[in-house]
Amino acid sequence: MAPNPLAPHWLVVPDDANALSPELWSRTVTRSSGELTVGGVGVGELQSRYGTPLYVVDELHARERAAEVRDAFTTAFARVGSAAKVYYAGKAFLSIEIARWMTEAGLNIDVCSGGELAVALAADVDPGRLGFHGNNKSVGEIDRAVSVGVGAIVIDSVQEIERVAEAAARHGRVQRVRLRVNSGVHAHTHAFLATAHEDQKFGIALGDAADAVARIRSNPGLDFVGLHCHIGSQIFGSDGFAESAARLLAVHAELLAEGPVPELNLGGGFGIAYTTSDDPSPIGELADRIADVVAAGCATLDIPVPVVAFEPGRAIIGTAGFTLYTVGTTKDVLVSTGDEGVTAVRRYVSVDGGMSDNARPALYGADYAVRIADRVSDAQPELVRVAGKHCESGDIVVDADYLPGDVRPGDLLAVPVTGAYCWSLASNYNYLGRPPVVAVRDGASRVIVRGETEADLLARDAGFREGASA
Ligand SMILES: *Cc1c(COP(=O)(O)O)cnc(C)c1O
């Protein structure tokens, strides 16, 4: 079949628009008599029990993937005579249940606000296994983090050195701290940009690190653990990590001359496939390459290989989740292709959620894929754009994919790879309640975060309370 001229160049017309590309779906997803099932539960049952839109998380996948990512780094660094620590970046998707899955898989957890810290503590995560990030932590957030004994605070500015030291003094603690530096390396998918200084808000310039570390070390309430950097997100290869590791190690070696530097934190950002055109390197390959680069760099500098920490978020939880929607309307829109006098039809398929449950297309131009979830069809594939229900033309869930041409109101659609940065970025735009999160495993489903009701939405409105009877 000829591609629709409106389709992006990377999108291939599928032989079968019902097929599930394994890299996009969590590991327990299959089709059974046409219906998509996950964790042994059919999507029809999920729809009738919980409604749509619905965030569905494959618990087994999330747990296994967390262990797999942890093992990839620990094995790679054991091979070069050192060790690795893996922090799950909670901002990707954090709930009490997910925090438990991560710690049970042997991971530590990164938080970057008082709210994320509260969730981790409510999940009974050992505070010693928490890292606390942020370029503008409040004095109150720092105080709480120090008082509960978080494992490390990532200092992001010179002002924060004093703030953390004061909190440590108040609580009579010695606080372990890392120092985030701006390595000048920024990476995304296949490209990375290396400059002397990146124009961004995080960290302090690499050239200022020695002074900042001297100030940290001069403070008896602070214990310097090492340097930290995070170079971007959705990174497919290892070159950006290699470059930032080399830059940090040079400074790390200088710091070793004045005192211990047990660890180096290279951050997160490991990419995943959102569509079949994405080809991220497997996490084991990335871990091996980074371990080799770090070991070689340390050999050249004649220093021991430090413990290296990583902070993957998306690479752990992204593929564990998909979102279920119900189709409400379809519309064929005649569009000029840009070639003189040539038009083509784009089919808009509107669903019952949208940019409030997945902001990434609107925020980053992110691409997603889509499948009809409750049936298969041998109708010819048609190019579709899945739109949400918000009063906003940029409210797109899936910019372009092919679905069977008989897609119609009432169909259940599943959009894969919504486990990271969808629920956590969700909003109440247009007063839509945020959908529930359901975990499935071994033939059973359960709500791990309940959805919002209209009562929830009205509850914070002071006008509503005034009118309510006492
Ligand atoms: C966002 C973030 C991460 C996680 O990024 P992913 O792309 O989800 O792996 C890790 N570390 C820091 C400091 C971050 O800001």
Side-chain angles (χ1 to χ4, degrees), residues 431 456-466:
Y431 275 95
D456 290 325
L457 298 178
L458 283 163
R460 288 183 304 129
D461 190 313
F464 178 68
R465 287 182 184 197
E466 262 168 34

Side-chain angles (χ1 to χ4, degrees), residues 87-92 110 112 133-134 154 180 202 228-235 265-271 310-317 420-421:
Y87 289 79
Y88 169 65
K91 72 175 200 242
D110 262 345
C112 62
H133 274 281
V154 182
R180 181 161 180 174
F202 292 108
H228 172 285
C229 72
H230 172 70
I231 60 167
S233 67
Q234 186 60 351
I235 304 165
N265 189 324
L266 295 177
F270 309 96
F310 294 94
E311 306 175 324
R314 185 195 315 270
I316 290 174
I317 205 69
Y421 304 110

Side-chain angles (χ1 to χ4, degrees), residues 355-357 389-393 395 426-434 457:
M355 64 192 295
S356 55
D357 60 73
K389 63 177 284 163
H390 293 278
C391 289
E392 165 90 36
S393 55
D395 172 30
S427 76
N428 288 131
Y429 186 39
N430 294 146
Y431 275 95
L432 263 67
R434 281 170 288 196
L457 298 178

Side-chain angles (χ1 to χ4, degrees), residues 105-284:
L107 277 73
N108 306 291
I109 296 185
D110 262 345
V111 296
C112 62
S113 71
E116 288 184 2
L117 175 61
V119 174
L121 294 175
D124 292 324
V125 177
D126 171 0
R129 289 172 69 173
L130 296 175
F132 194 75
H133 274 281
N135 66 303
N136 187 19
K137 309 168 193 75
S138 71
V139 170
E141 286 173 326
I142 292 170
D143 193 81
R144 180 148 193 232
V146 172
S147 76
V148 301
V150 303
I153 292 181
V154 182
I155 288 183
D156 198 282
S157 64
V158 283
Q159 289 97 334
E160 229 171 54
I161 299 172
E162 305 313 321
R163 289 180 195 158
V164 177
E166 282 164 16
R170 261 195 310 278
H171 296 285
R173 285 182 178 269
V174 175
Q175 178 62 52
R176 285 162 47 91
V177 298
R178 302 181 192 272
L179 180 69
R180 181 161 180 174
V181 294
N182 178 346
S183 69
V185 177
H186 188 85
H188 185 76
T189 56
H190 292 286
F192 81 93
L193 188 70
T195 55
H197 311 282
E198 198 199 338
D199 188 359
Q200 52 108 332
K201 70 175 182 172
F202 292 108
I204 68 162
L206 206 45
D208 297 334
D211 283 350
V213 172
R215 282 176 70 174
I216 291 169
R217 281 176 167 158
S218 71
N219 204 305
L222 304 178
D223 178 16
F224 180 63
V225 179
L227 299 175
H228 172 285
C229 72
H230 172 70
I231 60 167
S233 67
Q234 186 60 351
I235 304 165
F236 287 176
S238 56
D239 293 351
F241 292 101
E243 178 64 24
S244 64
R247 290 181 177 205
L248 263 65
L249 279 173
V251 179
H252 177 102
E254 286 169 22
L255 298 173
L256 270 175
E258 308 293 330
V261 192
E263 298 186 15
L264 176 70
N265 189 324
L266 295 177
F270 309 96
I272 57 175
Y274 284 95
T275 70
T276 50
S277 72
D278 290 334
D279 59 346
S281 302
I283 201 77

